[in-house]
Each structure stands twice: as C-alpha cells, then as structure tokens.
Amino acid sequence: AVLDLTGVNGLGTLGLGTRGYVMKKVYHSLIGVDKSFWIRFLNPIQMINTSWQVYWKHIDDFSYDASVRPFDEDNNFRLTGYFYTDYMHGQIHPEIFVMYDPEHAWMTMASVKYSRDGRLFYKLSQMSFWGSESATSMFTQPVDLRMTSELSFRVGYTW
C-alpha cells in the first residue's frame, strides 16, 4: 500500500486532496555481487574486498504528483559500493562506502577501526551527503541532507 495524496475522498476526513492508502503493486529487487581483488600497492598481504549492489523499486499504476511526493517515482534505482580490507593481522580495518541515487544525490562514508586485542576498539568515521541543487531523492526530502557531513569517534568493547 502507498499513500496517495492526489485525489479527493469526498468525506473531508483526511483533508482536501487526500484519499488515504491505495493498494498498488510495488516490486523491490536487489542484485548484488561480492568480489575480492589483489591490489598489491594498497595491501600486499590481503585482498581488497568489495560488495556492489543495485536496488530497484517499481510502483505499478504510478500517478503521484511530484509536488506532493517528490521522491516517489514509478522506477527508482540506487547503486552502492562497499570496499574494505585488513592491515596488521586485522588490527586496522579501513572501510569505504559509496551510495548513488540517480536523482543526483550521493552519500559517502570512510572509516578506520583499530583494535589491538580484537575486543577494545577505536573507530574514526566520516559520512557526507552530496548532490546538485535540483536533486530530489530520499536524501533531500523531507530533510535536505545535501552538503552535510558528520565526523565521529567511537570507543567500544566487544564482549
């Protein structure tokens, strides 16, 4: 079911221009590939592990007004890539994650985790959102995350 805000229900209980929930067929699909590569100049001892995904959502009989539901489309795609490896026998674990929404919005994340004994760890992370001013996606509506960044430092213990 999807919320349809484009019609008039005649009862006035939901306000002008709303019909409430209307049943629509919604298809979600995911294709993912995991692959490890030797990139000797980055890590001569261990492989660089990667994970790639393509997400697709399709709404049958799509009839939304873009001014009411700007990030709902009849076909919505999202592409992601995740890269990680280990150094010093697993004590240092760097990660990079990239997400692209074809509505011209990006999310990037880079982090490095250090653990001397595998239990007590320290993790420094950065996350940023990017996009053109005309970008309309889950990253820009209802809260515009474009051009925002976050830097975090965590200390934790694994039991």
Side-chain angles (χ1 to χ4, degrees):
V2 236
L3 184 61
D4 187 348
L5 300 173
T6 60
V8 177
N9 67 357
L11 299 175
T13 57
L14 297 174
L16 184 62
T18 60
R19 285 190 299 192
Y21 283 94
V22 176
M23 296 301 288
K24 305 261 187 195
K25 289 182 182 176
V26 180
Y27 302 94
H28 294 273
S29 297
L30 165 70
I31 296 175
V33 175
D34 297 331
K35 179 70 177 154
S36 298
F37 297 97
W38 279 114
I39 305 176
R40 301 269 184 200
F41 71 93
L42 287 178
N43 192 342
I45 298 172
Q46 292 200 10
M47 300 180 97
I48 306 295
N49 303 296
T50 65
S51 182
W52 305 86
Q53 296 90 28
V54 176
Y55 299 90
W56 172 65
K57 178 176 79 172
H58 174 76
I59 302 172
D60 262 356
D61 193 26
F62 183 77
S63 60
Y64 292 121
D65 181 358
S67 64
V68 178
R69 298 283 300 215
F71 48 82
D72 274 348
E73 299 178 356
D74 59 346
N75 285 300
N76 190 356
F77 294 91
R78 187 159 295 139
L79 311 168
T80 65
Y82 175 60
F83 313 89
Y84 64 96
T85 190
D86 288 316
Y87 293 96
M88 296 177 56
H89 306 288
Q91 291 182 332
I92 298 176
H93 181 80
E95 301 173 313
I96 296 174
F97 177 78
V98 178
M99 181 182 293
Y100 175 69
D101 189 308
E103 292 296 314
H104 311 293
W106 291 82
M107 193 220 41
T108 58
M109 186 277 300
S111 70
V112 64
K113 179 178 172 181
Y114 171 75
S115 178
R116 184 175 180 139
D117 61 1
R119 298 226 180 252
L120 179 66
F121 68 87
Y122 307 91
K123 186 172 185 177
L124 180 65
S125 297
Q126 165 278 332
M127 185 184 326
S128 298
F129 293 89
W130 316 83
S132 68
E133 291 185 20
S134 63
T136 304
S137 74
M138 296 297 255
F139 300 129
T140 61
Q141 300 290 334
V143 177
D144 190 359
L145 295 174
R146 285 176 299 119
M147 306 310 288
T148 59
S149 296
E150 173 183 294
L151 183 64
S152 66
F153 179 71
R154 285 185 8 189
V155 177
Y157 189 82
T158 305
W159 299 99

